[in-house]
Amino acid sequence: MPTITLPDGTTRSFKNDTTPFEIASDISEGLAQCAVGARIDGVLCDLSTPISNDAEVKLVTARKGEKESDPDALELIRHSCAHVMAEAIQRIRPAVKLVYGPALDSGFYYDISFEGSEPLSSEEFEAIEKEMASIIDEDRPFTRYELSTGDGMKKLQDEGSKYKIDNAERAIEAGSDSLTWYVTGEPNSNWEDLCRGPHVPSTGKIGAFKLQSIASSYWHGDADSDSLTRVYGVAFVHKKQLKKHLKLQEESKLRDHRVLGKKLRLFHIDEQVGQGLLLWTPNGAVVRQQLQNFIGEELQKQNYSQVFTPHIGKLDLYRTSGHYPYYQESQYPPLIDPEQLSKLASEGCTCGDLSNLMKQGDIEGYLLKPMNCPHHIRIYASSPHSYRDLPVRLAEFGTVYRWEQSGEIGGMTRVRGFTQDDAHLFCTEEQVAGELIGCLDLVKIIFKTLGMHDYKVRVGLRDADSDKYVGDPEKWDKAEDACRKAAETLGVPWVEEAGEAAFYGPKIDFIVNDVLGRPWQLGTVQVDYNLPERFDLTYIGPDGKEHRPVMIHRAPFGSMERFIGVLIEHFAGAFPTWLAPEQVRVLAISEKSNDYADTVLDALRARGIRATADQCDERIQAKIRNAADLKIPWLLVVGPRDAEKNNVSVRKRGILQDLGAVSMDTFIGALTGEISSRGESKALEICFPDSEFSIDT
């Protein structure tokens, strides 16, 4: 007689075993109609899953009228849609072999082997989607059945798919005592797939879908193994959600920082330099420098000290910090003294032997720095400190290096060498709360100035079941509590997430949604009781004795490369005037006005405004189009009349028509104010206070 506890705390008792579907029906017929699955004691399950004992049950629904669907509902729909897609492909291409087809946060895919047959083409999507629609219209149930591992393996061996046999062997190795299939319909009559589930009750619950792309993949992700075709798709509860998603995808293509970065000449990636290593071209360097100037001014207000550290450090430094060898997979190989390396080679030392010797500390070497913090720690330790000196705040735009896998590198957002707006604060335990607030205030200033208002906060805590975390549990408790209290002061949504802490301490991460609603993890603040312990850092307290400081790590931008990549997409390359590589372009109507264009250009540059002049022989409309393509914020069109009156005719990015003429001095004064205030003062409102203009969206 199970008792079911629902999310609102109410309970329902049943005389016999029950299922989530029966629970939904017991509540209301409408709920049973829109239910697609359930979480039973936190585990996502089918609606038909039997419940014999007391349990907490959360029903998962797919309601057509909701703007945003339950993520669990989308996972069930997308996993089920992957099955429907695979069935449709096998109807059209019976000889293909299925490998694996999971749901994703953004949709679903299926890896398929087309060995011995023609590769799949996106031109076949229409035929596949037609078959999928037919399967969905049939509204066939997803029927689950289980076999013992022995019977299940015999069935798979008879069918002869090495991919499904491999999937089953992996499940058995992971501890499964049975194998599960899902049939879209009746067993022995309809299409089936080896699968753990769960799925929606029937194909008719899938909703709106679309196939999107084809990519190459490899079995087990091994480039030396079988080559596979990965077919991607998306699925939603209803067509409006799909339509919105597709529209956002099109918009995201237009905002792709890799495309805009090349078009606007912001950065370059060169194969001769190396994958994941950015070359900042002059335009991109302006954006980066302006951001550094911006945060530098704020650091001065908070009494930070600027430091510089080398790009490499001794292995012993990172052994002490714990970064080596525990994070060896994400680091570049150590640099060994050439003479020592030659000597070891002559003695028959293998690569494995060398790696073990370095791990054990028997061989010294250097490492491209994966973190700035050990270097800053050594700066702190280079001189004695009193409690009167604290907090000590050390800041650096420090470049670090991580060995990312080739398949994970992408544009500016995932690179192998990146610069952090890094700082490390050394303070007393009593100062931690105030210093955390100062760090969070800095992040808020950045987001406000850049118009990034939609963000939430994640407090990353240690996972009690993991052994990756180091240090005293009591100090961890203090650090985690400090992070929670600091997050509460922000006035934005925040969540706790176990397992997201750094190995040395908990952290506060900022998850920013860009204008398309896509989340990006950007700034971070971390509280660390452990590295001061590992490096034996001290200060002299008011009692004249040595005490251990607490260390705070903070990087409001995070990686400059990643942050600017996000900014490019957030602004679609149309940076606010203070950030724009080129702020003003002067356009001479004809050759007769070139001299006056030079006069205006000189006046702009004299006030520190980044400006150029277009004095080519093209017609003025062509000059305007060229400047618009480069997303330059302001255009000043000058002709003979403007020269006579010392005026400029103004055009602003995003406004369809000419704004009109204004004196050159008035415009330059207003624009200088907008730039120096980083947008708080508006040149448009100052120069044209009574005008209304149509904005080109």
Side-chain angles (χ1 to χ4, degrees):
M1 184 175 174
T3 297
I4 304 303
T5 303
L6 299 171
D8 64 0
T10 61
T11 59
R12 289 176 181 260
S13 296
F14 295 83
K15 292 182 179 179
N16 302 306
D17 292 357
T18 187
T19 66
F21 179 75
E22 290 173 354
I23 296 168
S25 300
D26 190 53
I27 296 171
S28 76
E29 184 178 339
L31 181 59
Q33 285 294 315
C34 67
V36 292
R39 282 201 175 271
I40 303 173
D41 290 331
V43 179
L44 191 60
C45 301
D46 298 322
L47 272 184
S48 58
T49 303
I51 304 174
S52 304
N53 302 312
D54 295 351
E56 294 182 358
V57 175
K58 175 184 178 291
L59 294 165
V60 176
T61 60
R63 299 182 187 273
K64 301 269 184 186
E66 293 180 351
K67 291 183 179 179
E68 300 294 336
S69 296
D70 185 330
D72 284 341
L74 289 177
E75 180 178 343
L76 291 166
I77 287 169
R78 288 166 178 170
H79 190 185
S80 302
C81 199
H83 277 229
V84 169
M85 179 183 73
E87 179 179 354
I89 290 173
Q90 284 198 314
R91 282 185 179 183
I92 296 169
R93 301 282 205 95
V96 304
K97 293 188 181 297
L98 304 177
V99 182
Y100 179 66
L104 304 168
D105 288 342
S106 56
F108 61 88
Y109 71 80
Y110 217 113
D111 278 346
I112 301 172
S113 172
F114 286 84
E115 185 180 1
S117 60
E118 285 291 316
L120 187 71
S121 164
S122 58
E123 293 178 0
E124 297 175 78
F125 280 1
E126 185 176 350
I128 297 169
E129 288 176 340
K130 186 176 180 180
E131 290 294 334
M132 291 174 68
S134 174
I135 296 167
I136 290 170
D137 287 343
E138 291 169 21
D139 198 20
R140 286 187 267 133
F142 277 91
T143 307
R144 173 189 172 106
Y145 73 87
E146 291 186 16
L147 294 176
S148 67
T149 54
D151 290 344
M153 288 301 296
K154 183 178 184 306
K155 170 181 168 64
L156 292 170
Q157 287 161 355
D158 291 343
E159 292 171 354
S161 172
K162 67 178 183 180
Y163 303 112
K164 293 300 178 180
I165 291 171
D166 179 73
N167 290 345
E169 288 174 344
R170 285 168 172 255
I172 293 168
E173 287 174 9
S176 180
D177 55 5
S178 63
L179 297 174
T180 308
W181 278 259
Y182 277 81
V183 187
T184 45
E186 295 298 323
N188 303 317
S189 299
N190 296 108
W191 185 89
E192 65 178 36
D193 194 13
L194 177 73
C195 178
R196 291 180 299 179
H199 288 281
V200 295
S202 66
T203 60
K205 295 286 188 182
I206 284 175
F209 68 91
K210 186 169 181 60
L211 302 191
Q212 294 217 288
S213 62
I214 295 173
S216 296
S217 63
Y218 298 99
W219 193 23
H220 297 162
D222 182 357
D224 296 325
S225 189
D226 294 7
S227 179
L228 306 172
T229 297
R230 179 167 292 181
V231 188
Y232 285 98
V234 291
F236 290 90
V237 173
H238 54 80
K239 290 181 179 179
K240 285 185 178 179
Q241 289 177 325
L242 176 61
K243 185 177 179 181
K244 178 183 176 183
H245 175 79
L246 296 176
K247 184 178 179 181
L248 288 176
Q249 278 195 322
E250 286 303 311
E251 178 67 20
S252 69
K253 288 178 184 177
L254 297 175
R255 292 172 176 268
D256 190 327
H257 77 275
R258 293 163 296 186
V259 176
L260 287 172
K262 184 175 182 179
K263 177 182 176 181
L264 302 178
R265 299 190 291 276
L266 297 169
F267 67 95
H268 176 61
I269 298 174
D270 194 297
E271 285 301 317
Q272 284 192 291
V273 174
Q275 276 192 325
L277 300 172
L278 293 188
L279 299 174
W280 290 89
T281 47
N283 284 352
V286 169
V287 178
R288 173 170 164 167
Q289 189 61 57
Q290 290 305 311
L291 287 172
Q292 290 186 195
N293 293 346
F294 164 43
I295 197 170
E297 291 173 13
E298 297 301 325
L299 295 183
Q300 277 191 321
K301 295 175 187 175
Q302 292 195 17
N303 198 29
Y304 279 77
S305 298
Q306 181 74 46
V307 297
F308 298 94
T309 61
H311 290 244
I312 63 173
K314 290 178 70 174
L315 279 178
D316 255 354
L317 180 69
Y318 301 107
R319 289 191 187 104
T320 303
S321 70
H323 292 103
Y324 183 86
Y326 304 111
Y327 294 89
Q328 192 172 352
E329 306 79 24
S330 60
Q331 297 166 1
Y332 277 82
L335 308 170
I336 309 300
D337 179 88
E339 290 185 8
Q340 188 176 25
L341 195 59
S342 179
K343 180 175 180 294
L344 289 168
S346 67
E347 294 171 353
C349 180
T350 67
C351 291
D353 294 336
L354 180 62
S355 179
N356 289 331
L357 288 169
M358 285 188 293
K359 286 179 184 177
Q360 294 162 11
D362 295 330
I363 294 179
E364 191 48 82
Y366 287 82
L367 193 67
L368 281 171
K369 67 176 176 181
M371 293 283 191
N372 296 304
C373 40
H375 294 253
H376 292 188
I377 286 171
R378 297 314 301 163
I379 291 175
Y380 174 88
S382 66
S383 59
H385 295 279
S386 159
Y387 70 96
R388 294 186 180 89
D389 303 326
L390 304 187
V392 171
R393 306 183 184 100
L394 304 179
E396 177 182 19
F397 285 93
T399 302
V400 297
Y401 302 89
R402 311 276 174 84
W403 181 257
E404 300 286 359
Q405 297 298 317
S406 296
E408 296 176 342
I409 294 171
M412 303 181 82
T413 57
R414 198 72 179 265
V415 292
R416 286 176 171 164
F418 56 93
T419 302
Q420 295 177 308
D421 62 320
D422 221 348
H424 296 91
L425 294 72
F426 303 86
C427 60
T428 69
E429 196 169 280
E430 294 75 23
Q431 292 170 332
V432 168
E435 291 304 303
L436 278 178
I437 298 299
C439 292
L440 299 185
D441 284 345
L442 186 58
V443 177
K444 288 194 292 184
I445 289 168
I446 290 169
F447 289 167
K448 179 184 176 183
T449 303
L450 293 168
M452 305 175 86
H453 305 297
D454 184 9
Y455 65 91
K456 63 181 180 181
V457 170
R458 178 180 65 207
V459 177
L461 309 176
R462 68 196 187 281
D463 182 350
D465 298 324
S466 174
D467 59 359
K468 87 168 188 178
Y469 304 101
V470 297
D472 182 352
E474 287 188 12
K475 291 180 178 177
W476 268 92
D477 290 342
K478 289 180 181 179
E480 289 179 340
D481 189 50
C483 287
R484 289 188 186 96
K485 289 178 178 176
E488 288 173 356
T489 69
L490 287 167
V492 298
W494 66 280
V495 296
E496 297 181 6
E497 196 161 332
E500 285 297 317
F503 75 92
Y504 47 74
K507 59 180 180 173
I508 302 171
D509 290 330
F510 289 82
I511 315 299
V512 180
N513 291 325
D514 65 15
V515 292
L516 298 183
R518 299 170 302 181
W520 300 91
Q521 195 272 302
L522 296 177
T524 187
V525 181
Q526 303 167 2
V527 180
D528 181 3
Y529 279 80
N530 288 300
L531 288 185
E533 188 80 34
R534 294 173 79 98
F535 280 94
D536 193 25
L537 300 184
T538 62
Y539 68 90
I540 303 301
D543 57 1
K545 297 179 181 178
E546 289 188 343
H547 296 265
R548 190 80 68 204
V550 182
M551 187 173 173
I552 296 175
H553 309 241
R554 72 105 190 95
F557 290 141
S559 153
M560 295 297 291
E561 285 75 5
R562 180 183 178 85
F563 192 88
I564 292 174
V566 172
L567 276 189
I568 292 169
E569 299 196 3
H570 183 71
F571 291 121
F575 293 107
T577 304
W578 69 274
L579 263 184
E582 184 176 348
Q583 295 165 322
V584 180
R585 180 164 291 185
V586 184
L587 310 177
I589 287 179
S590 68
E591 186 178 350
K592 295 177 182 179
S593 300
N594 282 351
D595 287 345
Y596 184 59
D598 285 337
T599 299
V600 174
L601 181 63
D602 289 343
L604 289 164
R605 288 178 170 176
R607 295 292 297 275
I609 296 169
R610 297 185 290 277
T612 64
D614 186 345
Q615 299 177 353
C616 68
D617 293 335
E618 289 185 306
R619 297 174 64 86
I620 191 64
Q621 289 305 320
K623 294 180 180 182
I624 291 171
R625 283 195 303 272
N626 292 340
D629 285 344
L630 296 176
K631 302 181 183 289
I632 299 167
W634 296 92
L635 307 182
L636 303 182
V637 180
V638 296
R641 290 183 185 176
D642 297 300
E644 288 174 10
K645 298 181 179 181
N646 208 35
N647 282 349
V648 289
S649 296
V650 183
R651 296 182 69 98
K652 181 167 172 35
R653 181 183 59 205
I655 295 181
L656 295 171
Q657 69 268 42
D658 292 332
L659 301 177
V662 67
S663 80
M664 179 177 64
D665 290 341
T666 298
F667 175 78
I668 292 176
L671 188 61
T672 302
E674 178 174 318
I675 293 168
S676 63
S677 69
R678 297 190 171 91
E680 289 188 14
S681 172
K682 305 292 185 184
L684 180 64
E685 295 170 3
I686 293 171
C687 293
F688 305 98
D690 301 321
S691 300
E692 295 182 1
F693 303 101
S694 300
I695 304 297
D696 181 6
T697 57

